């Protein structure tokens, strides 16, 4: 990506910003963030805008990265927000930090807390509680079997479970490992990977992000550089964003890392699909903001759902947005509701919305109306 | 200069909060600053932002604003380049973005009725789904609204064949200062009763009233289209090529020109399909039935045989987009030549284009600045970008170039602006084009609509 220049207020980001799409609020657009930043830094000392007000407004970003792709000047909203958050760690950052630092403690705790009433919980945990409660309450009956083709990969493989797969939805990890075994892959010993680092990054916790990266690289090297298999689009993006500097400038190691990152779905595109009787009439694919260009999750869901698959709608964000969940839960919900309304516009009751990103799934499951289901594509597999 | 309130009293604020409850009004610094800037990059801070959901709110707002002498600044996506959305006298910014419904698409009357906040490209998609066509296509069509397009009389690349926004607006619902509602025009394609207030409103940049609904004319959707990119050794060759195409009796949908400096900027910015040494480009689009498009393509190729070309590439269907993408990235690509840009969108009579472009280049050469000419050759609307480095103290020279470019344009019988308007950024040049009598008549019209000057004050149309 060429170097960013400066925002010329052309408004091309308005076309793609999911926060603006759902709310219609111009002050939340990347264009507004860059403008406010420029006048805060300029001669007129922010023209009456306090630094605190600027930061709280500017940090309302879902970090989807669409603006950067659409910007003729290569400006990135998420980069601005990461930078701002890195420079000021307020309440929400601290909460998110706590959450991510101790995921082992917090995910199950949130599940337990979900039994209590929301009133006794502080807001970040209150919304987490609701999310957890939703996540575990209404699960979907599997309706497809995948018989994967044997893969004659001589290298070891390891599953990168991600925070959700490790602590909240262990069943996803178990299914993923079973599929890997079904392909005859040589699976390495379960190892102690850290967070992919992506959420730390967007929360502005750059030191913690770098520590996570270092830890993961260490574990991967110790295991003999296995293929790293993921089932979460955000983890995949987070892992792919490791820079040459994270490998102390070792280009060979860096290339090897990039080449090892493998979405689970990419290994399953030649699998045999068997459908059960309870197959739903309609399936929608929610394309995560962080989906790679070659979105093999979408291909796999298309393969399984075949004629049941509704046309994929581009540009819908679930609204999870990492830190937005904690800092502005009502905005996050507004964006998620908008996205679900679009998904279910032409969907009959009982339709299923599938995705391949843990965060999207959590968000969609917690917001979806009772007539529909939202799930990870792993959920539909026996 | 008229006095407008510098601050709102508690009663003012309360009134607005009652009329626009909850999130429909904002008074915080961040929101106010963010709605006070547009693509001109000029900015000012209003006293309030309101987001009407229905006409009754706009009526009441304009009644109140008239009574209290509060400036009203209509706003949609703020993509205009001349500062028309900047609230230089503070007052209230009225965001029309929530009034964003297409109310009717009628294939028998060939009209659509729409609220102002609808994105132009969305309106186009909606009518195209019914085999209909709304032709005006400003470069911003994916991000700008029909209300903004009407307010600025937006043009576009298809103007050569199909005309501009004004040619498609049949009727308007407008709220006047004081709160009166007028309905101009209607659903008929012809109408000669009274003075043409509809056409007067289009392009008036929100200085006469606030548009709340528009009835636009539709055409049958052309079956197909095709594009041709033709390279020439130099500008003369390019202009001969354009003559040849017009000479063969075809009116292209779009005909865009890129001069040597534009080509240079693009070559630095993107992978380009033309060979080195290309000094001028023509990008053409034709549309119609599959048969007629084929015939026209053949005729264009035949007509170009008499002219020396360096390169020809054709595209049809979705494949055309890669050719048009090169046209769309000119603006950002221009910054590869210098750090600052001063852009004009002058228009000259079609027959004077060659003379104009050569004159603009020579103005640049004399001042030691790079001048890029590109744009709508087909309708004489040329984008002239003077590239300069502010940090090297070249701003004065750029301003001199601007004045000279305007002078030459007017000498050739042209106009200072074909699409963008005058607004704030070109206000001081208006006397170059409009004489005192014309300005007096226009001031009289403004006075008839808005005697207290509350609509978009501080702007020149």
């Amino acid at each position: 990506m060429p170097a960013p220049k400066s925002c010329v207020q052309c408004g091309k980001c308005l076309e793609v910003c999911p926060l603006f799409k759902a709310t219609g609020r111009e002050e939340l657009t990347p264009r507004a963030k860059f403008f406010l930043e420029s006048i805060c830094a300029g001669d007129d000392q922010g023209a009456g805008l306090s630094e605190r007000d600027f930061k709280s407004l500017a940090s309302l970003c879902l970090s989807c990265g669409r603006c950067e792709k659409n910007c003729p000047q290569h400006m990135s909203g998420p980069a601005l927000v990461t930078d701002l958050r890195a420079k000021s760690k307020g309440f929400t950052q601290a909460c998110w930090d706590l959450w991510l630092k101790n995921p082992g403690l917090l995910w199950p705790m949130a599940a337990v807390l979900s039994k209590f009433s929301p009133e006794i919980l502080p807001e970040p945990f209150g919304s987490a509680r609701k999310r957890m409660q939703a996540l575990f309450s209404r699960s979907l009956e599997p309706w497809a079997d995948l018989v994967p083709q044997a893969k004659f990969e001589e290298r070891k493989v390891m599953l990168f479970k991600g925070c959700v797969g490790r602590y909240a939805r262990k069943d996803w990890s178990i299914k993923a490992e079973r599929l890997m075994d079904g392909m005859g892959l040589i699976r390495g010993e379960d190892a102690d990977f850290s967070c992919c680092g992506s959420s730390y990054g967007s929360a502005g916790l750059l030191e913690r992000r770098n520590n996570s990266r270092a830890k993961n690289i260490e574990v991967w090297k110790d295991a003999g550089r296995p293929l790293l298999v993921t089932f979460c689009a955000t983890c995949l993006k987070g892992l792919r964003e490791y820079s040459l500097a994270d490998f102390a400038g070792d280009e060979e190691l860096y290339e090897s890392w990039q080449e090892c990152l493998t979405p689970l779905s990419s290994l399953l595109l030649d699998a045999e699909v068997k459908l059960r009787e309870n197959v739903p009439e309609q399936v929608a694919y929610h394309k995560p903001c962080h989906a790679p260009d070659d979105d093999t999750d979408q291909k796999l869901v298309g393969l399984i759902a075949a004629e049941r698959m509704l046309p994929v709608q581009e540009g819908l964000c679930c609204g999870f947005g990492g830190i937005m969940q904690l800092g502005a839960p009502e905005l996050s919900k507004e964006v998620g509701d908008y996205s679900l309304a679009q998904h279910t516009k032409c969907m009959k009751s009982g339709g299923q919305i599938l995705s391949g990103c843990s965060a999207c799934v959590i968000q969609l499951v917690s917001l979806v109306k009772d007539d529909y289901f939202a799930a990870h594509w792993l959920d539909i597999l026996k | 200069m008229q006095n407008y309130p510098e601050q709102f009293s508690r009663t003012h604020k309360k009134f607005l909060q009652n009329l626009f409850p909850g999130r429909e009004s904002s008074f915080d610094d961040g929101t106010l600053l963010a709605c006070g800037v547009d693509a001109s990059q000029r900015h000012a801070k209003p006293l309030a932002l309101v987001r009407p959901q229905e006409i009754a709110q706009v009526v009441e707002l304009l009644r109140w604003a008239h009574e209290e002498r509060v400036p009203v600044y209509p706003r949609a996506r703020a993509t205009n380049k001349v500062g028309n959305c900047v609230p230089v006298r503070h007052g209230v910014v009225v965001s029309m973005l929530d009034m964003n419904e297409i109310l009717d698409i009628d294939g028998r009357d060939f009209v659509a009725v729409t609220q102002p906040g609808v994105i132009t490209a969305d309106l186009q998609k909606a009518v195209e789904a019914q085999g209909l066509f709304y032709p005006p296509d400003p470069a911003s069509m994916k991000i700008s609204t029909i209300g903004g397009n009407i307010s600025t009389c937006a043009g576009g690349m298809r103007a050569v064949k199909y005309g501009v926004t004004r040619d498609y607006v049949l009727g308007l619902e407008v709220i006047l200062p004081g709160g009166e509602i007028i309905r101009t025009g209607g659903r008929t394609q012809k109408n000669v009763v009274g003075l043409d207030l509809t056409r007067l409103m289009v392009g008036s940049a929100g200085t006469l009233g606030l548009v709340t609904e528009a009835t636009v004319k539709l055409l049958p959707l052309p079956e197909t289209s095709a594009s041709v990119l033709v390279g020439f050794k130099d500008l003369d060759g390019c202009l001969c090529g354009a003559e040849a195409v017009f000479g063969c009796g075809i009116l292209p949908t779009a005909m865009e020109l890129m001069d040597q400096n534009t080509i240079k900027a693009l070559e630095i910015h993107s992978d380009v399909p033309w060979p080195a040494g290309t000094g001028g480009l023509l990008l053409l689009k034709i549309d119609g039935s599959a048969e007629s498009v084929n015939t026209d393509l053949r005729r264009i190729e035949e007509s170009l045989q008499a002219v020396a070309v360096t390169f020809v590439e054709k595209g049809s269907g979705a494949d055309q987009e890669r050719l048009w993408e090169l046209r769309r990235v000119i603006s950002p690509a221009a910054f590869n030549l210098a750090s600052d840009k001063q852009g004009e969108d002058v228009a000259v009579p079609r027959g004077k284009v060659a003379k104009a472009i050569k004159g603009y280049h020579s103005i640049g050469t004399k001042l030691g600045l790079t001048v890029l000419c590109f744009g709508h050759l087909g309708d004489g609307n040329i984008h002239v970008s003077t590239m300069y480095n502010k940090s090297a103290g070249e701003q004065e020279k750029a301003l001199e170039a601007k004045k000279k470019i305007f002078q030459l344009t007017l000498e050739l019988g042209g106009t200072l602006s074909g699409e963008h308007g005058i607004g704030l950024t070109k206000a001081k040049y208006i006397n170059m084009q409009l004489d005192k009598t014309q300005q007096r008549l226009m001031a009289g019209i403004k006075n008839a609509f808005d005697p207290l000057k509350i609509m978009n004050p501080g702007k020149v149309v």
Side-chain angles (χ1 to χ4, degrees):
Chain A
M1 186 64 85
K5 292 170 179 166
S6 67
C7 175
V8 294
Q9 296 290 312
C10 71
K12 277 197 68 115
C13 50
L14 307 192
E15 188 188 339
V16 292
C17 174
L19 199 51
F20 178 65
K21 245 185 218 177
T23 63
R25 289 172 57 185
E26 229 188 305
E27 64 274 21
L28 301 178
T29 57
R31 175 174 78 172
K33 291 179 170 70
F34 290 119
F35 170 64
L36 295 178
E37 186 199 27
S38 76
I39 60 165
C40 276
D43 298 337
D44 47 3
Q45 290 297 308
L49 182 67
S50 75
E51 196 180 326
R52 214 183 98 232
D53 286 351
F54 163 59
K55 281 184 177 159
S56 65
L57 194 58
S59 69
L60 297 174
C61 166
L62 294 158
S63 302
C64 71
R66 287 191 177 86
C67 53
E68 187 179 359
K69 288 185 197 152
N70 217 40
C71 176
Q73 300 287 96
H74 314 296
M75 302 295 287
S76 162
L80 170 76
V81 173
T82 296
D83 189 47
L84 284 177
R85 286 173 183 162
K87 286 177 190 154
S88 81
K89 295 193 177 66
F91 168 72
T92 52
Q93 281 88 346
C95 288
W96 193 238
D97 191 18
L98 183 70
W99 178 281
L100 287 165
K101 196 167 66 180
N102 299 305
L105 170 73
L106 280 170
W107 284 106
M109 190 172 88
V112 174
L113 286 174
S114 70
K115 296 194 177 72
F116 298 104
S117 75
E119 286 76 21
I120 63 163
L121 296 169
E123 191 37 47
F125 291 94
S127 73
R129 180 206 70 89
K130 280 180 224 148
R131 223 173 312 123
M132 286 302 108
Q133 189 180 41
L135 201 58
F136 297 122
S137 66
R138 217 167 57 102
S139 61
L140 153 165
E141 277 296 308
W143 50 267
D145 292 290
L146 275 192
V147 186
Q149 300 277 325
K151 300 276 182 303
F152 302 100
E153 175 67 54
E154 285 178 9
R155 257 187 311 187
K156 261 198 321 192
V157 299
M158 283 174 94
L159 183 65
F160 187 89
K161 297 172 184 172
C163 296
V164 178
R166 269 160 76 89
Y167 303 111
R169 293 299 305 259
K170 290 183 184 166
D171 55 323
W172 291 350
S173 300
I174 294 168
K175 277 187 189 175
E177 286 176 344
R178 206 179 296 144
L179 286 165
M180 287 156 70
D181 292 345
M183 286 181 263
L185 297 169
I186 311 156
R187 195 150 56 78
E189 286 288 301
D190 207 8
D192 197 16
F193 283 111
S194 177
C195 165
C196 65
S198 155
S199 299
Y200 285 140
S202 67
L205 305 165
L206 301 183
E207 197 185 330
R208 184 143 287 136
R209 180 194 72 184
N210 295 344
N211 290 342
S212 273
R213 289 181 173 185
K215 170 88 191 296
N216 288 333
I217 293 168
E218 212 48 51
V219 172
W220 170 72
K221 275 201 308 197
D222 287 349
R225 303 188 190 182
L227 280 189
L228 266 188
V229 177
T230 61
F231 54 76
C232 168
T234 297
C235 288
L236 180 68
K237 177 174 181 279
L239 297 170
R240 280 189 175 162
E241 278 174 352
Y242 288 21
S243 66
L244 191 56
D246 293 312
F247 297 85
D250 185 337
E251 282 186 29
E252 190 268 328
L253 196 63
Y254 170 72
E255 296 287 329
S256 164
W257 169 266
Q258 291 295 341
E259 182 251 332
C260 282
L261 302 173
T262 312
L264 177 61
S265 52
S266 71
L267 300 171
L268 295 169
L269 295 176
D270 55 358
E272 190 188 336
V273 181
K274 291 180 183 166
L275 299 182
R276 299 176 169 216
E277 280 178 2
N278 61 338
V279 54
E281 245 184 282
Q282 289 177 321
V283 172
Y285 175 70
H286 173 80
K287 196 177 183 70
C289 297
H290 296 158
D293 289 338
D294 180 20
D295 188 358
T296 49
D297 288 337
Q298 179 179 334
K299 286 182 185 162
L300 182 66
V301 172
L303 209 69
I304 299 173
E307 73 281 1
R308 292 166 186 81
M309 178 102 151
L310 296 170
V312 174
Q313 301 188 58
E314 301 278 339
L316 291 181
C317 171
C318 72
F320 186 93
I323 200 161
M324 280 275 291
Q325 276 288 329
L326 304 170
E330 73 295 341
L331 264 186
S332 163
K333 179 177 181 301
E334 197 174 338
V335 177
D337 284 339
Y338 173 82
S339 182
L340 278 165
Q342 301 301 314
H343 279 309
T344 54
K345 204 153 60 180
C346 302
M347 191 183 251
K348 294 177 193 159
S349 180
Q352 299 187 357
I353 302 150
L354 304 179
S355 192
C357 160
S358 303
C360 291
V361 173
I362 292 174
Q363 174 84 343
L364 294 175
V365 166
S366 66
L367 295 177
V368 74
K369 301 272 186 305
D370 283 348
D371 289 349
Y372 310 101
F373 286 94
H376 194 285
W377 57 261
L378 279 165
D379 285 318
I380 64 167
L381 302 180
K382 177 63 186 159
Chain B
M1 196 170 71
Q2 187 159 343
N3 281 331
Y4 299 105
E6 284 295 320
Q7 273 183 333
F8 273 163
S9 66
R10 201 173 289 171
T11 329
H12 282 142
K13 201 169 160 184
K14 213 165 166 189
F15 170 83
L16 288 173
Q17 279 169 328
N18 280 336
L19 184 58
F20 298 95
R23 276 173 43 179
E24 292 173 21
S25 53
S26 302
F27 302 88
D28 64 282
D29 293 329
T31 304
L32 294 182
L33 285 163
C35 74
V37 63
D38 66 17
S40 70
Q41 301 193 58
R42 304 270 183 112
H43 64 92
K45 192 175 164 189
L47 302 175
L49 165 70
V50 298
R51 308 169 216 261
Q53 313 291 307
E54 51 187 58
I55 294 159
Q57 286 175 301
V58 184
V59 168
E60 187 56 14
L61 175 74
L62 289 199
R63 186 200 59 72
W64 170 84
H66 188 72
E67 213 169 273
E68 301 290 328
R69 314 284 195 268
V70 172
V72 170
Y73 287 95
R75 180 181 181 88
R77 293 289 194 89
T79 57
N80 88 86
K81 292 175 186 288
V82 295
N84 272 329
C85 299
V86 180
V88 282
R89 308 274 185 266
H90 317 301
V92 185
V93 168
V94 188
S95 167
M96 300 307 285
L97 292 182
D98 289 347
M99 290 182 66
N100 58 359
E101 266 183 68
I102 298 172
L103 303 171
D104 185 23
I105 296 172
D106 190 326
R108 293 183 70 185
D109 286 354
F110 277 89
V111 298
V113 181
T114 171
Q115 291 190 315
V118 172
I119 306 300
T120 305
D122 290 348
L123 175 69
Q124 287 171 334
K125 255 185 263 164
V127 303
E128 282 167 20
Q130 300 189 26
L132 299 163
F133 185 39
Y134 176 72
D137 62 338
S140 62
M141 65 186 177
K142 285 186 188 167
I143 46 173
S144 62
T145 62
I146 193 75
N149 289 181
I150 289 171
S151 170
T152 55
C153 187
M157 311 215 202
R158 292 197 283 236
V160 192
K161 180 169 176 180
Y162 291 108
V164 297
T165 302
R166 184 173 279 132
D167 302 314
Y168 290 85
V169 182
L170 295 176
L172 290 172
E173 178 187 76
V174 184
I175 317 297
L176 300 180
E180 267 180 297
I181 305 179
I182 55 165
R183 288 189 152 270
T184 71
R187 288 168 87 99
T188 59
Q189 307 273 327
K190 292 180 174 175
N191 183 349
V192 291
V193 177
L195 294 176
D196 194 341
L197 295 182
T198 311
R199 287 175 76 88
L200 175 63
M201 287 306 301
V202 180
S204 65
T207 58
L208 302 179
L210 216 157
V211 173
T212 47
E213 191 186 292
T215 303
V216 297
K217 177 165 103 172
L218 304 175
L219 302 179
L221 182 65
E223 186 187 339
T224 188
S225 66
S227 297
V228 196
L229 180 65
V230 193
F232 303 87
K233 205 169 104 274
D234 50 29
L235 186 70
D236 281 328
C238 197
L239 296 168
C240 285
E243 288 292 316
V245 173
F246 280 126
C248 73
I250 292 171
L251 184 58
T253 316
M255 183 190 265
E256 296 288 307
L257 164 133
M258 298 167 224
D259 73 351
Q260 193 166 12
N261 289 332
T262 309
I263 292 171
K264 199 157 92 187
L266 284 172
E267 284 170 349
I268 303 172
H269 188 272
S270 324
D271 287 331
V272 297
W274 54 82
T278 299
L281 286 165
L282 272 188
L283 181 54
L284 298 159
K285 187 180 229 174
I286 42 175
D287 66 6
S289 67
E291 274 177 351
S292 72
V293 165
N294 267 334
T295 315
D296 286 356
L297 266 182
R298 225 181 16 252
R299 282 168 74 182
I300 288 175
E301 280 177 294
E302 281 166 15
S303 73
L304 287 172
Q305 275 171 0
V307 189
V309 302
T310 62
F311 153 93
V312 178
E313 188 160 328
K314 284 184 279 188
S316 56
D319 183 44
Q320 296 168 75
E321 284 313 299
R322 71 195 154 82
L323 300 179
W324 286 94
E325 189 52 31
L326 289 162
R327 164 66 183 85
R328 287 187 202 110
V329 299
I330 293 176
S331 265
F335 289 100
N336 287 313
L337 301 181
S339 62
D340 300 282
K341 183 172 85 173
Q342 180 180 268
E344 315 306 338
D345 78 313
V346 293
V348 293
R350 220 183 250 171
K352 295 284 179 13
V353 169
K355 205 167 175 189
I357 293 179
K358 284 181 188 163
Y360 302 145
H361 281 160
S362 123
I363 291 170
T365 312
K366 277 184 197 147
L367 290 166
L369 298 173
T370 303
V371 169
L372 269 74
C373 295
F374 62 96
H376 319 311
L377 176 63
D379 57 26
N381 183 196
I382 307 295
H383 293 290
V384 186
S385 295
T386 307
M387 304 307 299
Y388 67 102
N389 289 312
K390 206 186 263 177
S391 55
E394 290 177 342
Q395 200 166 9
E396 281 300 310
K397 276 202 277 181
L399 281 172
E400 207 181 320
K402 187 191 195 87
K403 200 152 184 205
K404 291 210 155 94
I405 289 166
F406 284 167
Q407 265 160 358
L408 174 62
T409 304
L410 293 171
E411 278 163 28
L412 295 172
T415 173
L416 301 187
S417 176
E419 294 181 328
H420 296 171
I422 297 297
L424 275 182
T425 60
K426 289 182 222 158
K428 67 174 176 184
Y429 301 100
I430 191 77
N431 294 332
M432 289 175 75
Q433 183 167 341
L434 298 183
D435 62 28
K436 283 213 165 68
T437 313
Q438 290 184 71
Q439 290 192 46
R440 178 173 52 79
L441 288 171
M442 289 180 195
I445 292 171
K446 163 80 178 170
N447 199 45
F449 278 81
D450 180 22
L452 301 177
K453 298 184 178 51
I454 61 162
M455 294 307 299
N456 203 0
K459 308 299 165 57
V460 175
V461 177

